[in-house]
DNA sequence: CGTTTGCTTGAGGCTGTTCAATACCGGTGG
DNA sequence: CCACCGGTATTGAACAGCCTCAAGCAAACG
């Protein structure tokens, strides 16, 4: 399998030093037994340098990946080479969600910054989902949250102007990077993305992204320089982004205890 | 709750005559006990006339809806009134998937044709998901399939030209309506949508949809008249649509037995 | 230093929008 | 029977948003 081969070439990291026990599927906190089981199914933790292909469109499914640190981009490539960044991945992001019956993955994942990825067998993860109802609920919650984001993203791509689309994306990324909603005005939020990447995620050319960013700066809405985003006027940014506050809050790092399966014992 | 009020005004249908035991969550076929439980949690089946608002953005979550017949459109509305059709719903489509923590739904659903909708409490459905592992797996499979479609849809909106986006949408709808992949050339597939609706789903104006449809007809790719789609040149349609055959097959009506939880007893 | 990568700015052109007008078609009421 | 009507489809002309191509610059890096 191509992905396994690529990953096996990367340096290893000791699983026990994994810094991400409070992210992704491990959140909200649960029993030590469950965390131990989650650690046990790990095939390894790999460090991918910038631009490294972590997973390639067309690979066979079978591995579940969790991002432990860094930023990566998931993108879908068309037969003629055009590509679209469907989402940015960072601490806690789960790369999986291939429905049974799909023979080839349809997304590639590339590291943007140096990225640590935890690799596990999808089958083993599924077994744990069956064993721990709260893990299953958390898994479903992550899928549902992504579906909600997809609705807003599609609406943004279809209906918003270039400037609005940029505002939408940057506000979403600011909330995720700062782990806070609403984000603070004036705070410098690390966001190590290039204008070209923002273009690939918004369906704009890098040239036009640059123009729109400059305009946003002139209007006093935000600045985006040398990998840091600074929100200057949150009210206007939100008005342009046209994003639902309730949805943004889902990405702010708070992880409501899922109730989907709370009718179960324990 | 607004949705419950609206639905309660609609005529009822006897649950026992429900025609959709082979669709959506009920597929693939499983034990009589499970089907009986699924029928038991129904609050009712309602018939919505064309243009009827089945569910409104901002409603409290709590009801799970399954479309039994007809066509409906799910759309997201922006504060300034612009709206985007995120997906078309037909037999078997599940309307739910609100992550816990989201106080207001972000999608409205409107009937396009006369639409029969099965209403059930989300809580009751969740209890059944916990009781029947295969139902849970089916539920997750539907979410994952939608996520895969969302990836293609976002890529189409961001990267494809107007004609290509139309081709993409019509091919997807053709597969769903004909329940077959690949669809047959020359077959007249009922698709009761207006050009304005296609525009709202592709991010184009109805005027431009009209021009692109005429061009597709001139080029001998397809015709779309009086609610019927006819594919004339499948090869060229697929080349324009830039859609993954594996993904299209997921929507063709075949429902692979989910393996997500097959490590469980039974 | 030369190369690469990312950012910035200008000029011109294409895609899709906007506004407008016309035609069509089934239903409704005079 | 025809006039009228709302909803849909169709077509034209002018406009605008975003793209393409091109050039120049700064910082990082081998």
């Amino acid at each position: 399998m191509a992905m396994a081969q690529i990953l096996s070439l990367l340096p290893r990291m000791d699983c026990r030093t994994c810094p991400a026990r409070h992210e992704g599927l491990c959140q909200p906190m649960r029993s030590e037994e469950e965390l131990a089981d989650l650690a046990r199914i790990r095939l390894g933790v790999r460090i991918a340098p910038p631009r490294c292909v972590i997973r390639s469109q067309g690979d066979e499914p079978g591995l579940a990946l969790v991002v432990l640190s860094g930023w990566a981009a998931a993108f879908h490539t068309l037969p003629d080479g055009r590509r679209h960044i469907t989402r940015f991945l960072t601490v806690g992001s789960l790369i999986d969600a291939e429905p049974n019956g799909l023979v080839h993955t349809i997304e590639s994942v590339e590291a943007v910054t140096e990225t640590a990825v935890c690799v596990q067998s999808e089958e083993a993860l599924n077994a744990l989902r069956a064993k721990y109802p709260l893990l299953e609920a958390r898994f479903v919650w992550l899928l549902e949250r992504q579906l909600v984001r997809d609705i807003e993203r599609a609406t943004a791509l279809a209906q918003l102007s270039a400037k609005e689309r940029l505002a939408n994306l940057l506000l979403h990324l600011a909330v995720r990077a700062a782990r806070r909603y609403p984000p603070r005005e004036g705070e410098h939020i690390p966001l190590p993305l290039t204008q070209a990447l923002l273009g690939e995620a918004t369906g704009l050319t890098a040239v036009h992204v640059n123009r729109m960013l400059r305009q946003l700066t002139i209007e006093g809405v935000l600045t985006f320089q040398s990998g840091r985003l600074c929100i200057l006027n949150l009210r206007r940014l939100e008005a342009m982004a046209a994003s639902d506050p309730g949805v943004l809050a889902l990405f702010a790092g708070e992880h409501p205890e899922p109730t989907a399966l709370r009718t179960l014992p324990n």
Side-chain angles (χ1 to χ4, degrees), chain A residues 32-42 128 131-132:
Chain A
E32 279 301 316
E33 182 201 357
E34 192 169 340
L35 288 172
D37 266 358
L38 275 171
R40 196 168 299 126
I41 66 170
R42 286 190 188 141
L128 284 196
K131 183 176 175 187
Y132 297 106

Side-chain angles (χ1 to χ4, degrees), chain A residues 107-119:
Chain A
E107 260 186 343
S108 302
V109 176
E110 257 186 42
V112 174
T113 65
E114 182 175 276
T115 304
V117 180
C118 173
V119 185

Side-chain angles (χ1 to χ4, degrees), chain A residues 87-119:
Chain A
R87 56 183 186 135
F88 290 104
L89 310 167
T90 185
V91 192
S93 297
L94 176 67
I95 311 171
D96 181 40
E98 305 292 339
N100 188 26
L102 197 65
V103 182
H104 304 292
T105 64
I106 64 163
E107 260 186 343
S108 302
V109 176
E110 257 186 42
V112 174
T113 65
E114 182 175 276
T115 304
V117 180
C118 173
V119 185

Side-chain angles (χ1 to χ4, degrees), chain A residues 62-78:
Chain A
L63 292 187
L65 310 180
V66 175
V67 176
L68 302 181
S69 69
W71 285 84
F75 56 91
H76 180 68
T77 307
L78 296 174

Side-chain angles (χ1 to χ4, degrees), chain A residues 86-265:
Chain A
T86 52
R87 56 183 186 135
F88 290 104
L89 310 167
T90 185
V91 192
S93 297
L94 176 67
I95 311 171
D96 181 40
E98 305 292 339
N100 188 26
L102 197 65
V103 182
H104 304 292
T105 64
I106 64 163
E107 260 186 343
S108 302
V109 176
E110 257 186 42
V112 174
T113 65
E114 182 175 276
T115 304
V117 180
C118 173
V119 185
Q120 44 216 328
S121 143
E122 189 186 341
E123 199 176 347
L125 178 59
N126 291 344
L128 284 196
R129 282 170 47 204
K131 183 176 175 187
Y132 297 106
L134 287 180
L135 179 65
E136 172 72 15
R138 175 66 182 172
F139 182 84
V140 169
W141 187 84
L142 287 173
L143 296 186
E144 291 180 335
R145 185 180 71 164
Q146 186 60 40
L147 281 171
V148 169
R149 170 63 188 156
D150 282 348
I151 290 170
E152 294 215 320
R153 187 159 46 86
T155 306
L157 289 171
Q159 308 292 338
L160 299 189
S161 69
K163 206 203 298 181
E164 292 169 325
R165 264 182 280 178
L166 255 185
N168 182 291
L169 176 61
L170 289 175
L171 177 57
H172 174 79
L173 291 173
V175 170
R176 283 176 59 190
R179 317 182 139 273
R180 175 185 298 124
Y181 181 80
R184 292 191 188 137
E185 288 182 351
E187 183 184 8
H188 284 268
I189 304 169
L191 204 60
L193 308 177
T194 65
Q195 296 181 357
L197 287 171
L198 295 181
E200 290 188 286
T202 51
L204 303 169
T205 59
V207 172
H208 205 58
V209 167
N210 182 287
R211 283 189 242 269
M212 295 299 103
L213 280 178
R214 293 235 61 227
Q215 209 167 326
L216 286 170
T217 301
I218 290 171
E219 294 171 8
V221 176
L222 57 78
T223 63
F224 180 70
Q225 288 164 359
S226 52
R228 294 190 314 171
L229 173 68
C230 181
I231 296 173
L232 299 175
N233 189 328
L234 181 59
R235 175 183 293 279
R236 283 216 279 157
L237 179 61
E238 294 207 77
M240 273 193 289
S243 191
D244 186 299
V247 176
L248 285 171
L250 295 179
F251 287 89
E254 298 171 16
H255 302 283
E257 184 65 33
T259 57
L261 298 176
R262 74 176 160 197
T263 54
L264 279 182

